[in-house]
Each structure stands twice: as structure tokens, then as C-alpha cells.
Amino acid sequence: MANVASPLQYGDPPRLGPFVVQARLHQAPAGFVYLGQASDGRAVSLAVLTRGAAFDAAARERFITAIRGAGAERAGRRPWFGWAGRQRTAVLDGAPEVLDSELSSAPWVAVPYVPGRPGAEWFLQPVMVGGTLIGQAHGPDFVPHWLTDRAPALPGPVTRRRPLTETRRRVLMAALALALLLALVTAMLLLLVLGRSDSEPQPRQLPPTVFVPTPPPVPETTEPRPSPSLSPSPSQSGPLTPGRSPGDDNGEGSPL
């Protein structure tokens, strides 16, 4: 236990719940102890598990069980875990008063800060004990596998649920935007179709033609005449020559 505060380092949380983190008070293998301030100005001691211990289900459960046991003992109720009265007294002896806590996947606890008296580091001691929260550990020494991850386990960002009226307004705005988009797309398609039909060139019309039929040719004579033939007749074998033909006989005998 150390009452000397040191400045915050990179990765330390600026706030834990409603408490403002101001300085470091103690650093243990299982977590960190910070000096904080409540909303009413009261000084508090805050204990946070390391990221490695928070990822270990058994170590995180020991830390949460110690916080619940101390809160139930202060309220006069019996803790929910079924331990014997002697064991429960041994565990809860000297436990500080729990002002506030967070028992999620990144748990932390806040107790009043009194110099010289046990603070929130009291809840980090059971985390390092394997199997039991009372007495001394027996058997060989062991080293938890998560000791190398020394960053503080910080809770994730809180996502608040939006009211129903805002959700309806967003749905109506989205539907209106979708309708406007569809109307714009339809108008663009119509402009493209109509513009293309108007811009196409029309076929040029041919000039009108006047067709006057001509009458058929009329022959000069109504009787057909054979055309003169220039070829020789079949009785003539050659050109006509003056003199006698071989078959002509003029009555004169042959000189022979």
C-alpha cells in the first residue's frame, strides 16, 4: 500500500463512471489503483484490473466476487456465494466501504480515500490467489499467463439508445430521400428517351415523279413480208458463170 501519488501515464483513463481520475496511487500485478474525485468533491480510491486480468474469466470473477461480498456485508446481507461464516469473516475483515462499482467485462470499484488506511487495492489481492480467497496458497508457485498485458482494462464507449421519436423522424427522412432519388432517376430516364427520339434525323423525302406511258410502236404495213435472203439457193453450188453447163446439149456431136 502506497499513499504517494504519481502523475497519470499514457493509457490511463480520464474518468471511471462519475469519478474523475487525478493520479496514480498504486500499481499491482493484477491492476492499478487511482486517486479520483467524486462529484461532491470527495477523494476516492479507484481499483481497475489490467487488460490481461480482465480477459481471464477466473481472475475477473474473483475481483467481482470480492466487490459483491464487501457490498453485501456493509448492507447487512449475506453474500450470495455459500461460504461458511468463519471463512466469510476472514475474507471480509478490513474490507473498505464500496461507494460505486462496475461489474462488466472491464470492472472497477471506488472506495473512500483515507491516507494510511486500506483503499481499493484491497480488492486486487484476491485476484492473484488461485482457487480460494482465504488463507495462504499451498503448492508450487505459478505465474498467471496474463501478467504480460499491463494496460488498464477500460470500458468501451457507451452506446445510448436513441428515443423512439428520433428513430421515426430518421425513418421518414430516409423514405423521403429515397422517393426524391427515385423521382430524379425517373426524370433523367424520360429525358434521355425523349431527347434521343427528337434528335434522330428524319429520312429525306424524294421529289414527286410524273410517269407518262409511251404508246407501243405501230408497223408500217399490216401484211408480213419475208425479208430477202442473201444466201444462195440449194440448186446452186457455186457462183454463176457464163457458158454452158455440163448438162446442156446443143445438138452437136462430140468431136471425138
Side-chain angles (χ1 to χ4, degrees):
M1 179 175 61
N3 293 324
V4 179
S6 61
L8 295 176
Q9 299 181 14
Y10 178 78
D12 290 334
R15 296 183 65 93
L16 286 174
F19 306 101
V20 178
V21 180
Q22 296 178 336
R24 276 191 181 189
L25 289 178
H26 182 63
Q27 180 177 354
F32 300 88
V33 180
Y34 298 102
L35 175 64
Q37 185 178 10
S39 57
D40 56 358
R42 184 170 43 169
V44 295
S45 177
L46 301 163
V48 182
L49 289 179
T50 61
R51 192 164 53 187
F55 286 166
D56 186 0
R60 184 177 67 251
E61 186 63 27
R62 288 193 291 269
F63 183 68
I64 295 175
T65 300
I67 296 173
R68 287 175 175 170
E73 184 71 14
R74 292 292 179 179
R77 300 189 305 270
R78 183 175 180 178
W80 60 272
F81 42 83
W83 288 347
R86 180 182 61 81
Q87 295 176 344
R88 186 169 59 254
T89 304
V91 172
L92 299 178
D93 281 344
E97 177 187 1
V98 176
L99 298 178
D100 197 359
S101 63
E102 174 65 37
L103 306 182
S104 61
S105 58
W108 55 267
V109 61
V111 301
Y113 173 71
V114 180
R117 297 184 61 179
E121 66 273 5
W122 186 91
F123 298 96
L124 296 177
Q125 297 175 5
V127 179
M128 297 299 298
V129 178
T132 179
L133 299 180
I134 63 174
Q136 298 179 355
H138 300 282
D141 296 335
F142 68 95
V143 176
H145 64 89
W146 40 261
L147 283 182
T148 55
D149 195 348
R150 303 290 299 161
L154 303 180
V158 179
T159 56
R160 297 181 180 179
R161 185 177 181 181
R162 299 184 180 275
L164 187 59
T165 54
E166 186 176 354
T167 303
R168 288 180 178 176
R169 187 182 301 110
R170 289 180 177 272
V171 171
L172 292 177
M173 292 179 62
L176 181 60
L178 182 60
L180 292 176
L181 182 60
L182 290 177
L184 181 61
V185 172
T186 305
M188 293 178 63
L189 291 177
L190 290 176
L191 288 176
L192 289 176
V193 173
L194 297 178
R196 179 177 298 177
S197 61
D198 294 340
S199 62
E200 289 180 355
Q202 298 294 334
R204 187 177 58 180
Q205 296 182 358
L206 297 177
T209 58
V210 179
F211 178 74
V212 179
T214 58
V218 179
E220 297 179 356
T221 58
T222 58
E223 296 180 0
R225 293 179 180 181
S227 58
S229 177
L230 300 178
S231 61
S233 62
S235 59
Q236 297 178 354
S237 60
L240 295 178
T241 56
R244 293 181 306 173
S245 60
D248 293 340
D249 190 7
N250 53 6
E252 298 178 357
S254 173
L256 298 179

